[in-house]
Amino acid sequence: DAKTTQPPSMDCAEGRAANLPCNHSTISGNEYVYWYRQIHSQGPQYIIHGLKNNETNEMASLIITEDRKSSTLILPHATLRDTAVYYCIVHKIQGAQKLVFGQGTRLTINP
Amino acid sequence: KAGVTQTPRYLIKTRGQQVTLSCSPISGHRSVSWYQQTPGQGLQFLFEYFSETQRNKGNFPGRFSGRQFSNSRSEMNVSTLELGDSALYLCASSLGYTGNTEAFFGQGTRLTVV
């Protein structure tokens, strides 16, 4: 699985949009981009995933660049409960469910 | 529907002992994966089971083993416990065996080896 690079930490004001970048310059054509988050002491929680088109669900939006080498997770109206470590993962379309977690981005939402 | 259930939530064992952790996946999910999380190494993949067969294995010693039953429930076992095995052990279930399905994680079992 391709490696990802994320900033170690970010801050965002409550109510503002949080934009979390991820670089995956070695991604191959058969790999999805996945985002998970982990709130302190809980299991990771799935947020969203995409292949090449932008995706949106009730939690977030995922913007993938045209060359697929980077992506941005957008939390449109961040709340204090969005404070967590966010992981960007690239994952093969076919094959095992093995997820390779990096160090992630620790996002802090400030009141 | 019920989420992924891991038991026990907390466990304290002595070095040299063995331990068995249990994971009940979401109903209908056939893939179960296990991860170890430590402050130093982060989240690391242990192994994955699908339809009672181990499909993938991470880079852990043979002391770490697992199995999956016909009802998709899974257990992992760690023998001859070492202090470094102290960690949060997480189980994840997913519907199928492809990369286009999300994984749902349990709350984990926190193992402390003394």
Side-chain angles (χ1 to χ4, degrees):
Chain A
D1 292 313
K3 186 179 167 137
T4 62
T5 304
Q6 300 178 253
S9 64
M10 291 183 65
D11 285 274
C12 179
E14 188 178 18
R16 305 298 292 269
N19 297 284
L20 291 90
C22 178
N23 181 286
H24 32 80
S25 57
T26 60
I27 193 170
S28 58
N30 66 345
E31 290 178 317
Y32 283 94
V33 179
Y34 271 80
W35 284 83
Y36 285 81
R37 72 180 183 184
Q38 187 174 26
I39 296 169
H40 184 61
S41 296
Q42 297 182 21
Q45 176 190 24
Y46 166 81
I47 302 172
I48 198 167
H49 74 282
L51 185 60
K52 49 187 174 182
N53 297 320
N54 297 337
E55 302 286 345
T56 296
N57 63 19
E58 64 279 3
M59 287 182 70
S61 294
L62 173 60
I63 308 298
I64 302 173
T65 58
E66 194 168 338
D67 63 7
R68 300 187 72 237
K69 295 187 176 190
S70 65
S71 61
T72 301
L73 177 75
I74 301 173
L75 307 178
H77 305 287
T79 71
L80 298 178
R81 286 181 292 183
D82 292 322
T83 292
V85 178
Y86 286 77
Y87 297 98
C88 169
I89 299 167
V90 290
H91 187 39
K92 283 189 170 52
I93 292 172
Q94 294 293 335
Q97 274 292 331
K98 173 183 176 182
L99 297 173
V100 179
F101 288 85
Q103 296 304 307
T105 295
R106 184 173 297 277
L107 175 67
T108 302
I109 306 300
N110 300 306
Chain B
K1 56 184 175 182
V4 178
T5 303
Q6 291 188 246
T7 57
R9 289 293 310 278
Y10 302 92
L11 206 49
I12 299 176
K13 288 287 188 178
T14 303
R15 195 170 49 180
Q17 288 187 312
Q18 74 159 19
V19 67
T20 300
L21 311 181
S22 179
C23 172
S24 293
I26 291 172
S27 177
H29 284 194
R30 296 168 63 192
S31 173
V32 174
S33 302
W34 289 89
Y35 294 81
Q36 180 197 65
Q37 186 171 29
T38 60
Q41 298 298 317
L43 272 157
Q44 293 188 286
F45 172 81
L46 278 158
F47 28 65
E48 179 200 3
Y49 288 86
F50 181 82
S51 294
E52 301 177 67
T53 302
Q54 187 180 92
R55 300 288 176 150
N56 206 349
K57 189 176 190 305
N59 190 25
F60 279 82
R63 300 185 297 107
F64 292 81
S65 63
R67 59 178 175 168
Q68 186 181 34
F69 302 96
S70 58
N71 62 358
S72 294
R73 191 178 71 85
S74 178
E75 289 181 347
M76 69 162 280
N77 185 78
V78 188
S79 62
T80 321
L81 283 165
E82 300 177 359
L83 297 179
D85 297 332
S86 294
L88 179 66
Y89 289 89
L90 291 157
C91 164
S93 80
S94 56
L95 191 60
Y97 184 61
T98 73
N100 192 22
T101 56
E102 60 266 37
F104 295 84
F105 284 80
Q107 294 298 304
T109 294
R110 185 164 295 281
L111 171 66
T112 302
V113 181
V114 298

